[in-house]
Amino acid sequence: MGKFTYISDLKKYIGEEVEIRGWTYNKRSSGKVRFVIVRDGSGFLQCVMAKGQIDDSYFDLFDELTLETSTIVRGKVREDQRAPGGVELDLSYIKIVGPSENFPIPKVREDNIPDPGVLLPIRHLWLRTRRQWAIMRIRHTIEKAIHDFYDSLGFIRIDSPILTPAACEGTTTLFETDYFGEKAYLSQSGQLYQEATCMAHGKTYCFGPTFRAEKSKTRRHLMEFWMVEPEIAYAELPDVMENAEGLITYIVEKVLENRQEELKILERDISKLEKVKKPFPRISYTEAIELLQKKGFNIKWGDDFGGDEETALSEEFDRPVIVHRYPSRIKAFYMKRDPENPELALAMDILAPEGYGEIVGGSQREDDLEKLLERIKEFNLPQEAFEWYLDLRRYGSVPHGGYGLGLERTVAWICGLKHVRETIPFPRMLEKIYP
RNA sequence: UCCCCGGUAGCUCAACAGGUAGAGCACCUGGCUGUUAACCAGGGGGUUGGGGGUUCGAAACCCUCCCGGGGAGCCA
């Protein structure tokens, strides 16, 4: 491959001659002084050349450096106050690696961002643009923060299967596939399997894609999305809430620590993220209903929250809000009922601020065999498919709980994006699976 | 499946009340020795989503179909 330098490391090479390998991101000219913005994946760099100070054969290559032409350049690194990244490169050498004619995405201008109908079919190229670059790097940092957080607490990552024999929750529509003549489904949650693994390791989590075949066409939905699902043996509802709160604050902290440049590209209001500190407010479902009624919503106890209600609730707080103890009949069969009020489930959701909606859903699980059997009957679920799950209550059952955090909604919130489709490299949307 | 909004140049959008389809960006030509979404001058580029209708005249009004968007339901 040979030796070359990444733009992100250039501050270490001020005054030195370096080689950069990348792509032409933009260019400007003032006649005898020409500017080429090169990106190399690690960052963006303005390269400068003046007529007479570089060989004419290189100077003239400027015309061929159309958008996204891949190029190798060499030059001396110079500190410069005028440069956004603090450094520029005085060019002495240019080589075109691969030409690029009529790149389909126009030069970055805020008043000229093509709409998703245009960009989604060229997602493979869209990913090269600055905003998308920033989003993917923040996504990476969030994923890393998730792993680091659990690892630091002694969790073991054990991934759940993606091909499953039956519905985990039996409610949402699943993608069906043929498994050697048997029906199998793409997983909509790894949770049930985590309940098994946490009984082996105490604290586990899985992190992978999940699939919902719902005909959802909104800014908050994808057919394929990533979810992290921790499960903790001997945990009760307050422990679950505390762990989720810790995860979210850790994620925000790491993004603020490592992704300032990217947040700036996205024009994210950092002050909103800086407020995300422990403790998060905790309100009961019943309190939330009262609050919404006071705000004029036509909602009664027993109803689930819609998008507008979630937004209204989150607007009451400057950080994520934990809503707990929902009516058990609007929650999943495996959630333990509140011993103080059997109409309630020991469940909790976390709503992100600024109207980003539910990013976490979790609960303490039903650990009593008889009660769980009743629930399976109530929900008309096939008991034989859950025998293995019931075994967890037959052999040393303990209180336990966990939650799922939706990666894409979290990325959308932290990046301040309107739509989750920009938070995943290749979004799978309703009737859209290309590229 | 239902409700709402939209479809005009490659992209983003104008075109008032029905009267000759326009701007910015992209692209091409020329100019400029410090540009940062560079700028200045010029140029090419259109079956106004398709079909039908009303009218002297339709991008605009009506009907219909197609496509796109985001909201409901469900959820992360």
Side-chain angles (χ1 to χ4, degrees), chain A residues 158 191-204 231-235 365-367 388-389 391-401:
Chain A
I158 299 187
Q191 180 211 312
L192 269 45
Y193 295 99
Q194 291 307 302
E195 290 187 50
T197 62
C198 85
M199 299 302 166
H201 293 269
K203 293 177 276 192
T204 62
E231 194 72 25
I232 310 164
Y234 288 103
R365 321 304 188 190
E366 182 53 73
D367 52 310
W388 69 268
Y389 186 67
D391 274 352
L392 304 175
R393 279 77 182 166
R394 292 184 181 115
Y395 303 99
S397 187
V398 299
H400 64 290

PDB file of all heavy atoms in Angstrom, chain A residues 158 191-204 231-235 365-367 388-389 391-401:
ATOM      1  N   ILE A 158     -23.616 -11.809  24.405  1.00  0.00           N
ATOM      2  CA  ILE A 158     -24.019 -13.097  23.828  1.00  0.00           C
ATOM      3  C   ILE A 158     -25.136 -12.812  22.850  1.00  0.00           C
ATOM      4  O   ILE A 158     -26.232 -12.399  23.249  1.00  0.00           O
ATOM      5  CB  ILE A 158     -24.515 -14.075  24.911  1.00  0.00           C
ATOM      6  CG1 ILE A 158     -23.376 -14.359  25.916  1.00  0.00           C
ATOM      7  CG2 ILE A 158     -24.992 -15.373  24.265  1.00  0.00           C
ATOM      8  CD1 ILE A 158     -23.714 -15.431  26.928  1.00  0.00           C
ATOM      9  N   GLN A 191     -34.641 -10.689  23.219  1.00  0.00           N
ATOM     10  CA  GLN A 191     -34.823 -10.665  24.670  1.00  0.00           C
ATOM     11  C   GLN A 191     -35.037 -12.025  25.327  1.00  0.00           C
ATOM     12  O   GLN A 191     -34.415 -12.351  26.339  1.00  0.00           O
ATOM     13  CB  GLN A 191     -35.989  -9.757  25.013  1.00  0.00           C
ATOM     14  CG  GLN A 191     -36.230  -9.699  26.505  1.00  0.00           C
ATOM     15  CD  GLN A 191     -37.676  -9.486  26.818  1.00  0.00           C
ATOM     16  OE1 GLN A 191     -38.293  -8.616  26.231  1.00  0.00           O
ATOM     17  NE2 GLN A 191     -38.227 -10.280  27.715  1.00  0.00           N
ATOM     18  N   LEU A 192     -35.939 -12.815  24.758  1.00  0.00           N
ATOM     19  CA  LEU A 192     -36.247 -14.090  25.404  1.00  0.00           C
ATOM     20  C   LEU A 192     -34.993 -14.954  25.542  1.00  0.00           C
ATOM     21  O   LEU A 192     -34.786 -15.635  26.545  1.00  0.00           O
ATOM     22  CB  LEU A 192     -37.344 -14.829  24.627  1.00  0.00           C
ATOM     23  CG  LEU A 192     -38.781 -14.553  25.069  1.00  0.00           C
ATOM     24  CD1 LEU A 192     -39.057 -13.082  25.297  1.00  0.00           C
ATOM     25  CD2 LEU A 192     -39.777 -15.112  24.068  1.00  0.00           C
ATOM     26  N   TYR A 193     -34.145 -14.891  24.528  1.00  0.00           N
ATOM     27  CA  TYR A 193     -32.893 -15.650  24.580  1.00  0.00           C
ATOM     28  C   TYR A 193     -31.936 -15.069  25.609  1.00  0.00           C
ATOM     29  O   TYR A 193     -31.154 -15.789  26.234  1.00  0.00           O
ATOM     30  CB  TYR A 193     -32.253 -15.702  23.190  1.00  0.00           C
ATOM     31  CG  TYR A 193     -33.099 -16.477  22.208  1.00  0.00           C
ATOM     32  CD1 TYR A 193     -33.943 -15.822  21.313  1.00  0.00           C
ATOM     33  CD2 TYR A 193     -33.082 -17.867  22.199  1.00  0.00           C
ATOM     34  CE1 TYR A 193     -34.741 -16.530  20.431  1.00  0.00           C
ATOM     35  CE2 TYR A 193     -33.881 -18.594  21.333  1.00  0.00           C
ATOM     36  CZ  TYR A 193     -34.707 -17.921  20.440  1.00  0.00           C
ATOM     37  OH  TYR A 193     -35.497 -18.635  19.583  1.00  0.00           O
ATOM     38  N   GLN A 194     -31.996 -13.742  25.765  1.00  0.00           N
ATOM     39  CA  GLN A 194     -31.143 -13.123  26.785  1.00  0.00           C
ATOM     40  C   GLN A 194     -31.571 -13.543  28.184  1.00  0.00           C
ATOM     41  O   GLN A 194     -30.751 -13.640  29.098  1.00  0.00           O
ATOM     42  CB  GLN A 194     -31.165 -11.594  26.658  1.00  0.00           C
ATOM     43  CG  GLN A 194     -30.471 -11.083  25.410  1.00  0.00           C
ATOM     44  CD  GLN A 194     -29.062 -11.624  25.265  1.00  0.00           C
ATOM     45  OE1 GLN A 194     -28.220 -11.437  26.140  1.00  0.00           O
ATOM     46  NE2 GLN A 194     -28.800 -12.289  24.156  1.00  0.00           N
ATOM     47  N   GLU A 195     -32.852 -13.789  28.356  1.00  0.00           N
ATOM     48  CA  GLU A 195     -33.308 -14.268  29.662  1.00  0.00           C
ATOM     49  C   GLU A 195     -32.641 -15.600  29.975  1.00  0.00           C
ATOM     50  O   GLU A 195     -32.326 -15.901  31.128  1.00  0.00           O
ATOM     51  CB  GLU A 195     -34.838 -14.390  29.691  1.00  0.00           C
ATOM     52  CG  GLU A 195     -35.536 -13.035  29.679  1.00  0.00           C
ATOM     53  CD  GLU A 195     -37.029 -13.150  29.878  1.00  0.00           C
ATOM     54  OE1 GLU A 195     -37.462 -13.827  30.830  1.00  0.00           O
ATOM     55  OE2 GLU A 195     -37.779 -12.561  29.067  1.00  0.00           O
ATOM     56  N   ALA A 196     -32.413 -16.397  28.937  1.00  0.00           N
ATOM     57  CA  ALA A 196     -31.702 -17.665  29.148  1.00  0.00           C
ATOM     58  C   ALA A 196     -30.227 -17.425  29.423  1.00  0.00           C
ATOM     59  O   ALA A 196     -29.651 -18.012  30.364  1.00  0.00           O
ATOM     60  CB  ALA A 196     -31.871 -18.561  27.914  1.00  0.00           C
ATOM     61  N   THR A 197     -29.593 -16.547  28.664  1.00  0.00           N
ATOM     62  CA  THR A 197     -28.144 -16.376  28.812  1.00  0.00           C
ATOM     63  C   THR A 197     -27.782 -15.690  30.126  1.00  0.00           C
ATOM     64  O   THR A 197     -26.736 -15.965  30.704  1.00  0.00           O
ATOM     65  CB  THR A 197     -27.534 -15.593  27.627  1.00  0.00           C
ATOM     66  OG1 THR A 197     -28.107 -14.275  27.571  1.00  0.00           O
ATOM     67  CG2 THR A 197     -27.775 -16.308  26.309  1.00  0.00           C
ATOM     68  N   CYS A 198     -28.677 -14.806  30.604  1.00  0.00           N
ATOM     69  CA  CYS A 198     -28.330 -14.120  31.862  1.00  0.00           C
ATOM     70  C   CYS A 198     -28.404 -15.086  33.043  1.00  0.00           C
ATOM     71  O   CYS A 198     -27.782 -14.857  34.072  1.00  0.00           O
ATOM     72  CB  CYS A 198     -29.193 -12.883  32.085  1.00  0.00           C
ATOM     73  SG  CYS A 198     -30.788 -13.175  32.854  1.00  0.00           S
ATOM     74  N   MET A 199     -29.138 -16.171  32.867  1.00  0.00           N
ATOM     75  CA  MET A 199     -29.175 -17.176  33.945  1.00  0.00           C
ATOM     76  C   MET A 199     -27.879 -17.990  33.950  1.00  0.00           C
ATOM     77  O   MET A 199     -27.563 -18.675  34.911  1.00  0.00           O
ATOM     78  CB  MET A 199     -30.368 -18.118  33.757  1.00  0.00           C
ATOM     79  CG  MET A 199     -31.715 -17.432  33.798  1.00  0.00           C
ATOM     80  SD  MET A 199     -32.024 -16.538  35.329  1.00  0.00           S
ATOM     81  CE  MET A 199     -33.439 -15.546  34.866  1.00  0.00           C
ATOM     82  N   ALA A 200     -27.115 -17.898  32.855  1.00  0.00           N
ATOM     83  CA  ALA A 200     -25.814 -18.570  32.791  1.00  0.00           C
ATOM     84  C   ALA A 200     -24.671 -17.633  33.175  1.00  0.00           C
ATOM     85  O   ALA A 200     -23.658 -18.066  33.712  1.00  0.00           O
ATOM     86  CB  ALA A 200     -25.583 -19.123  31.388  1.00  0.00           C
ATOM     87  N   HIS A 201     -24.823 -16.351  32.871  1.00  0.00           N
ATOM     88  CA  HIS A 201     -23.712 -15.416  33.058  1.00  0.00           C
ATOM     89  C   HIS A 201     -24.018 -14.247  33.978  1.00  0.00           C
ATOM     90  O   HIS A 201     -23.160 -13.382  34.169  1.00  0.00           O
ATOM     91  CB  HIS A 201     -23.255 -14.877  31.693  1.00  0.00           C
ATOM     92  CG  HIS A 201     -22.646 -15.923  30.822  1.00  0.00           C
ATOM     93  ND1 HIS A 201     -21.299 -16.200  30.814  1.00  0.00           N
ATOM     94  CD2 HIS A 201     -23.202 -16.795  29.949  1.00  0.00           C
ATOM     95  CE1 HIS A 201     -21.042 -17.176  29.961  1.00  0.00           C
ATOM     96  NE2 HIS A 201     -22.194 -17.572  29.426  1.00  0.00           N
ATOM     97  N   GLY A 202     -25.225 -14.157  34.470  1.00  0.00           N
ATOM     98  CA  GLY A 202     -25.562 -13.067  35.389  1.00  0.00           C
ATOM     99  C   GLY A 202     -25.996 -11.800  34.690  1.00  0.00           C
ATOM    100  O   GLY A 202     -27.085 -11.287  34.913  1.00  0.00           O
ATOM    101  N   LYS A 203     -25.111 -11.283  33.842  1.00  0.00           N
ATOM    102  CA  LYS A 203     -25.420 -10.056  33.114  1.00  0.00           C
ATOM    103  C   LYS A 203     -24.992 -10.246  31.665  1.00  0.00           C
ATOM    104  O   LYS A 203     -23.803 -10.476  31.404  1.00  0.00           O
ATOM    105  CB  LYS A 203     -24.641  -8.861  33.693  1.00  0.00           C
ATOM    106  CG  LYS A 203     -25.041  -8.471  35.092  1.00  0.00           C
ATOM    107  CD  LYS A 203     -24.187  -7.330  35.624  1.00  0.00           C
ATOM    108  CE  LYS A 203     -22.880  -7.839  36.217  1.00  0.00           C
ATOM    109  NZ  LYS A 203     -22.161  -6.773  36.987  1.00  0.00           N
ATOM    110  N   THR A 204     -25.921 -10.180  30.750  1.00  0.00           N
ATOM    111  CA  THR A 204     -25.558 -10.350  29.339  1.00  0.00           C
ATOM    112  C   THR A 204     -26.271  -9.297  28.491  1.00  0.00           C
ATOM    113  O   THR A 204     -27.203  -8.634  28.948  1.00  0.00           O
ATOM    114  CB  THR A 204     -25.967 -11.734  28.810  1.00  0.00           C
ATOM    115  OG1 THR A 204     -27.386 -11.857  28.886  1.00  0.00           O
ATOM    116  CG2 THR A 204     -25.320 -12.861  29.588  1.00  0.00           C
ATOM    117  N   GLU A 231     -29.859  -7.996  29.726  1.00  0.00           N
ATOM    118  CA  GLU A 231     -30.744  -8.724  30.643  1.00  0.00           C
ATOM    119  C   GLU A 231     -29.937  -9.032  31.897  1.00  0.00           C
ATOM    120  O   GLU A 231     -28.787  -9.482  31.799  1.00  0.00           O
ATOM    121  CB  GLU A 231     -31.251 -10.004  29.974  1.00  0.00           C
ATOM    122  CG  GLU A 231     -32.423 -10.656  30.672  1.00  0.00           C
ATOM    123  CD  GLU A 231     -33.745  -9.891  30.517  1.00  0.00           C
ATOM    124  OE1 GLU A 231     -33.901  -9.142  29.528  1.00  0.00           O
ATOM    125  OE2 GLU A 231     -34.605 -10.034  31.403  1.00  0.00           O
ATOM    126  N   ILE A 232     -30.524  -8.780  33.035  1.00  0.00           N
ATOM    127  CA  ILE A 232     -29.778  -8.863  34.291  1.00  0.00           C
ATOM    128  C   ILE A 232     -30.512  -9.762  35.286  1.00  0.00           C
ATOM    129  O   ILE A 232     -31.667  -9.502  35.625  1.00  0.00           O
ATOM    130  CB  ILE A 232     -29.620  -7.462  34.935  1.00  0.00           C
ATOM    131  CG1 ILE A 232     -29.096  -6.448  33.897  1.00  0.00           C
ATOM    132  CG2 ILE A 232     -28.684  -7.522  36.141  1.00  0.00           C
ATOM    133  CD1 ILE A 232     -29.263  -5.006  34.320  1.00  0.00           C
ATOM    134  N   ALA A 233     -29.811 -10.816  35.731  1.00  0.00           N
ATOM    135  CA  ALA A 233     -30.399 -11.708  36.741  1.00  0.00           C
ATOM    136  C   ALA A 233     -30.417 -11.001  38.089  1.00  0.00           C
ATOM    137  O   ALA A 233     -29.513 -10.231  38.409  1.00  0.00           O
ATOM    138  CB  ALA A 233     -29.588 -12.998  36.826  1.00  0.00           C
ATOM    139  N   TYR A 234     -31.431 -11.266  38.858  1.00  0.00           N
ATOM    140  CA  TYR A 234     -31.642 -10.670  40.174  1.00  0.00           C
ATOM    141  C   TYR A 234     -31.938  -9.169  40.116  1.00  0.00           C
ATOM    142  O   TYR A 234     -31.870  -8.481  41.128  1.00  0.00           O
ATOM    143  CB  TYR A 234     -30.466 -10.951  41.125  1.00  0.00           C
ATOM    144  CG  TYR A 234     -30.421 -12.397  41.583  1.00  0.00           C
ATOM    145  CD1 TYR A 234     -29.510 -13.297  41.024  1.00  0.00           C
ATOM    146  CD2 TYR A 234     -31.301 -12.856  42.559  1.00  0.00           C
ATOM    147  CE1 TYR A 234     -29.479 -14.622  41.429  1.00  0.00           C
ATOM    148  CE2 TYR A 234     -31.276 -14.183  42.964  1.00  0.00           C
ATOM    149  CZ  TYR A 234     -30.367 -15.066  42.402  1.00  0.00           C
ATOM    150  OH  TYR A 234     -30.346 -16.375  42.805  1.00  0.00           O
ATOM    151  N   ALA A 235     -32.227  -8.651  38.931  1.00  0.00           N
ATOM    152  CA  ALA A 235     -32.562  -7.226  38.814  1.00  0.00           C
ATOM    153  C   ALA A 235     -34.062  -7.029  38.960  1.00  0.00           C
ATOM    154  O   ALA A 235     -34.849  -7.833  38.473  1.00  0.00           O
ATOM    155  CB  ALA A 235     -32.092  -6.686  37.476  1.00  0.00           C
ATOM    156  N   ARG A 365     -39.210  -9.058  34.432  1.00  0.00           N
ATOM    157  CA  ARG A 365     -39.909 -10.152  33.765  1.00  0.00           C
ATOM    158  C   ARG A 365     -40.699 -10.995  34.771  1.00  0.00           C
ATOM    159  O   ARG A 365     -40.313 -11.081  35.943  1.00  0.00           O
ATOM    160  CB  ARG A 365     -38.915 -11.056  33.021  1.00  0.00           C
ATOM    161  CG  ARG A 365     -37.776 -10.352  32.318  1.00  0.00           C
ATOM    162  CD  ARG A 365     -38.236  -9.292  31.327  1.00  0.00           C
ATOM    163  NE  ARG A 365     -37.088  -8.793  30.542  1.00  0.00           N
ATOM    164  CZ  ARG A 365     -37.143  -7.744  29.746  1.00  0.00           C
ATOM    165  NH1 ARG A 365     -38.266  -7.033  29.621  1.00  0.00           N
ATOM    166  NH2 ARG A 365     -36.073  -7.363  29.067  1.00  0.00           N
ATOM    167  N   GLU A 366     -41.718 -11.645  34.282  1.00  0.00           N
ATOM    168  CA  GLU A 366     -42.479 -12.549  35.147  1.00  0.00           C
ATOM    169  C   GLU A 366     -41.613 -13.775  35.449  1.00  0.00           C
ATOM    170  O   GLU A 366     -41.207 -14.492  34.535  1.00  0.00           O
ATOM    171  CB  GLU A 366     -43.770 -12.981  34.446  1.00  0.00           C
ATOM    172  CG  GLU A 366     -44.629 -13.880  35.297  1.00  0.00           C
ATOM    173  CD  GLU A 366     -44.924 -13.273  36.660  1.00  0.00           C
ATOM    174  OE1 GLU A 366     -45.736 -12.313  36.733  1.00  0.00           O
ATOM    175  OE2 GLU A 366     -44.311 -13.727  37.656  1.00  0.00           O
ATOM    176  N   ASP A 367     -41.308 -13.984  36.704  1.00  0.00           N
ATOM    177  CA  ASP A 367     -40.427 -15.103  37.074  1.00  0.00           C
ATOM    178  C   ASP A 367     -41.200 -16.256  37.701  1.00  0.00           C
ATOM    179  O   ASP A 367     -40.624 -17.292  38.034  1.00  0.00           O
ATOM    180  CB  ASP A 367     -39.322 -14.631  38.027  1.00  0.00           C
ATOM    181  CG  ASP A 367     -39.883 -13.875  39.224  1.00  0.00           C
ATOM    182  OD1 ASP A 367     -40.708 -12.945  39.022  1.00  0.00           O
ATOM    183  OD2 ASP A 367     -39.515 -14.207  40.360  1.00  0.00           O
ATOM    184  N   TRP A 388     -39.160 -24.036  26.371  1.00  0.00           N
ATOM    185  CA  TRP A 388     -37.781 -23.738  26.784  1.00  0.00           C
ATOM    186  C   TRP A 388     -37.732 -22.494  27.666  1.00  0.00           C
ATOM    187  O   TRP A 388     -36.982 -22.406  28.631  1.00  0.00           O
ATOM    188  CB  TRP A 388     -36.863 -23.572  25.565  1.00  0.00           C
ATOM    189  CG  TRP A 388     -37.122 -22.328  24.739  1.00  0.00           C
ATOM    190  CD1 TRP A 388     -37.938 -22.230  23.663  1.00  0.00           C
ATOM    191  CD2 TRP A 388     -36.553 -21.033  24.938  1.00  0.00           C
ATOM    192  NE1 TRP A 388     -37.926 -20.946  23.177  1.00  0.00           N
ATOM    193  CE2 TRP A 388     -37.080 -20.183  23.930  1.00  0.00           C
ATOM    194  CE3 TRP A 388     -35.642 -20.473  25.847  1.00  0.00           C
ATOM    195  CZ2 TRP A 388     -36.739 -18.832  23.816  1.00  0.00           C
ATOM    196  CZ3 TRP A 388     -35.298 -19.132  25.728  1.00  0.00           C
ATOM    197  CH2 TRP A 388     -35.850 -18.326  24.734  1.00  0.00           C
ATOM    198  N   TYR A 389     -38.595 -21.544  27.324  1.00  0.00           N
ATOM    199  CA  TYR A 389     -38.659 -20.287  28.070  1.00  0.00           C
ATOM    200  C   TYR A 389     -39.235 -20.531  29.467  1.00  0.00           C
ATOM    201  O   TYR A 389     -38.793 -19.949  30.457  1.00  0.00           O
ATOM    202  CB  TYR A 389     -39.519 -19.311  27.263  1.00  0.00           C
ATOM    203  CG  TYR A 389     -39.596 -17.902  27.799  1.00  0.00           C
ATOM    204  CD1 TYR A 389     -38.475 -17.076  27.800  1.00  0.00           C
ATOM    205  CD2 TYR A 389     -40.797 -17.384  28.274  1.00  0.00           C
ATOM    206  CE1 TYR A 389     -38.549 -15.781  28.270  1.00  0.00           C
ATOM    207  CE2 TYR A 389     -40.890 -16.086  28.741  1.00  0.00           C
ATOM    208  CZ  TYR A 389     -39.757 -15.283  28.738  1.00  0.00           C
ATOM    209  OH  TYR A 389     -39.844 -13.992  29.189  1.00  0.00           O
ATOM    210  N   ASP A 391     -38.916 -23.317  31.045  1.00  0.00           N
ATOM    211  CA  ASP A 391     -37.869 -24.017  31.806  1.00  0.00           C
ATOM    212  C   ASP A 391     -37.057 -23.057  32.680  1.00  0.00           C
ATOM    213  O   ASP A 391     -36.596 -23.438  33.759  1.00  0.00           O
ATOM    214  CB  ASP A 391     -36.895 -24.725  30.841  1.00  0.00           C
ATOM    215  CG  ASP A 391     -37.400 -26.112  30.443  1.00  0.00           C
ATOM    216  OD1 ASP A 391     -38.410 -26.572  31.027  1.00  0.00           O
ATOM    217  OD2 ASP A 391     -36.777 -26.723  29.552  1.00  0.00           O
ATOM    218  N   LEU A 392     -36.882 -21.839  32.176  1.00  0.00           N
ATOM    219  CA  LEU A 392     -36.095 -20.862  32.943  1.00  0.00           C
ATOM    220  C   LEU A 392     -36.756 -20.579  34.285  1.00  0.00           C
ATOM    221  O   LEU A 392     -36.096 -20.170  35.230  1.00  0.00           O
ATOM    222  CB  LEU A 392     -35.938 -19.558  32.161  1.00  0.00           C
ATOM    223  CG  LEU A 392     -35.328 -19.694  30.751  1.00  0.00           C
ATOM    224  CD1 LEU A 392     -35.334 -18.353  30.033  1.00  0.00           C
ATOM    225  CD2 LEU A 392     -33.896 -20.240  30.832  1.00  0.00           C
ATOM    226  N   ARG A 393     -38.086 -20.810  34.356  1.00  0.00           N
ATOM    227  CA  ARG A 393     -38.823 -20.624  35.611  1.00  0.00           C
ATOM    228  C   ARG A 393     -38.911 -21.927  36.402  1.00  0.00           C
ATOM    229  O   ARG A 393     -39.310 -21.913  37.569  1.00  0.00           O
ATOM    230  CB  ARG A 393     -40.239 -20.118  35.322  1.00  0.00           C
ATOM    231  CG  ARG A 393     -40.334 -18.609  35.071  1.00  0.00           C
ATOM    232  CD  ARG A 393     -39.871 -18.223  33.699  1.00  0.00           C
ATOM    233  NE  ARG A 393     -39.912 -16.770  33.465  1.00  0.00           N
ATOM    234  CZ  ARG A 393     -39.330 -16.172  32.462  1.00  0.00           C
ATOM    235  NH1 ARG A 393     -38.608 -16.857  31.580  1.00  0.00           N
ATOM    236  NH2 ARG A 393     -39.431 -14.871  32.319  1.00  0.00           N
ATOM    237  N   ARG A 394     -38.590 -23.037  35.739  1.00  0.00           N
ATOM    238  CA  ARG A 394     -38.653 -24.343  36.412  1.00  0.00           C
ATOM    239  C   ARG A 394     -37.351 -24.688  37.132  1.00  0.00           C
ATOM    240  O   ARG A 394     -37.329 -25.453  38.075  1.00  0.00           O
ATOM    241  CB  ARG A 394     -38.955 -25.458  35.404  1.00  0.00           C
ATOM    242  CG  ARG A 394     -40.351 -25.370  34.823  1.00  0.00           C
ATOM    243  CD  ARG A 394     -40.653 -26.561  33.899  1.00  0.00           C
ATOM    244  NE  ARG A 394     -41.974 -26.437  33.331  1.00  0.00           N
ATOM    245  CZ  ARG A 394     -42.222 -26.258  32.028  1.00  0.00           C
ATOM    246  NH1 ARG A 394     -41.230 -26.197  31.146  1.00  0.00           N
ATOM    247  NH2 ARG A 394     -43.454 -26.134  31.598  1.00  0.00           N
ATOM    248  N   TYR A 395     -36.259 -24.143  36.609  1.00  0.00           N
ATOM    249  CA  TYR A 395     -34.949 -24.509  37.160  1.00  0.00           C
ATOM    250  C   TYR A 395     -34.265 -23.275  37.734  1.00  0.00           C
ATOM    251  O   TYR A 395     -33.525 -22.586  37.036  1.00  0.00           O
ATOM    252  CB  TYR A 395     -34.084 -25.153  36.076  1.00  0.00           C
ATOM    253  CG  TYR A 395     -34.747 -26.376  35.467  1.00  0.00           C
ATOM    254  CD1 TYR A 395     -35.419 -26.299  34.249  1.00  0.00           C
ATOM    255  CD2 TYR A 395     -34.722 -27.599  36.140  1.00  0.00           C
ATOM    256  CE1 TYR A 395     -36.040 -27.400  33.702  1.00  0.00           C
ATOM    257  CE2 TYR A 395     -35.345 -28.718  35.609  1.00  0.00           C
ATOM    258  CZ  TYR A 395     -36.001 -28.621  34.391  1.00  0.00           C
ATOM    259  OH  TYR A 395     -36.616 -29.701  33.859  1.00  0.00           O
ATOM    260  N   GLY A 396     -34.562 -22.970  38.954  1.00  0.00           N
ATOM    261  CA  GLY A 396     -33.882 -21.873  39.635  1.00  0.00           C
ATOM    262  C   GLY A 396     -34.296 -20.510  39.147  1.00  0.00           C
ATOM    263  O   GLY A 396     -33.444 -19.688  38.796  1.00  0.00           O
ATOM    264  N   SER A 397     -35.579 -20.253  39.125  1.00  0.00           N
ATOM    265  CA  SER A 397     -36.064 -18.952  38.666  1.00  0.00           C
ATOM    266  C   SER A 397     -35.654 -17.849  39.635  1.00  0.00           C
ATOM    267  O   SER A 397     -35.635 -18.066  40.854  1.00  0.00           O
ATOM    268  CB  SER A 397     -37.595 -19.003  38.544  1.00  0.00           C
ATOM    269  OG  SER A 397     -38.067 -17.817  37.955  1.00  0.00           O
ATOM    270  N   VAL A 398     -35.302 -16.729  39.096  1.00  0.00           N
ATOM    271  CA  VAL A 398     -34.944 -15.577  39.940  1.00  0.00           C
ATOM    272  C   VAL A 398     -35.581 -14.321  39.339  1.00  0.00           C
ATOM    273  O   VAL A 398     -35.882 -14.287  38.146  1.00  0.00           O
ATOM    274  CB  VAL A 398     -33.409 -15.361  40.027  1.00  0.00           C
ATOM    275  CG1 VAL A 398     -32.742 -16.575  40.646  1.00  0.00           C
ATOM    276  CG2 VAL A 398     -32.813 -15.052  38.649  1.00  0.00           C
ATOM    277  N   PRO A 399     -35.764 -13.291  40.157  1.00  0.00           N
ATOM    278  CA  PRO A 399     -36.222 -12.031  39.578  1.00  0.00           C
ATOM    279  C   PRO A 399     -35.191 -11.571  38.554  1.00  0.00           C
ATOM    280  O   PRO A 399     -33.986 -11.752  38.766  1.00  0.00           O
ATOM    281  CB  PRO A 399     -36.252 -11.061  40.772  1.00  0.00           C
ATOM    282  CG  PRO A 399     -36.070 -11.873  41.986  1.00  0.00           C
ATOM    283  CD  PRO A 399     -35.471 -13.188  41.598  1.00  0.00           C
ATOM    284  N   HIS A 400     -35.642 -11.017  37.463  1.00  0.00           N
ATOM    285  CA  HIS A 400     -34.697 -10.503  36.464  1.00  0.00           C
ATOM    286  C   HIS A 400     -35.415  -9.526  35.545  1.00  0.00           C
ATOM    287  O   HIS A 400     -36.646  -9.479  35.508  1.00  0.00           O
ATOM    288  CB  HIS A 400     -34.070 -11.647  35.659  1.00  0.00           C
ATOM    289  CG  HIS A 400     -35.038 -12.421  34.824  1.00  0.00           C
ATOM    290  ND1 HIS A 400     -35.997 -13.272  35.360  1.00  0.00           N
ATOM    291  CD2 HIS A 400     -35.218 -12.464  33.472  1.00  0.00           C
ATOM    292  CE1 HIS A 400     -36.698 -13.817  34.376  1.00  0.00           C
ATOM    293  NE2 HIS A 400     -36.248 -13.334  33.215  1.00  0.00           N
ATOM    294  N   GLY A 401     -34.624  -8.759  34.856  1.00  0.00           N
ATOM    295  CA  GLY A 401     -35.229  -7.770  33.964  1.00  0.00           C
ATOM    296  C   GLY A 401     -34.215  -7.228  32.986  1.00  0.00           C
ATOM    297  O   GLY A 401     -33.011  -7.515  33.078  1.00  0.00           O
TER     298      GLY A 401
END
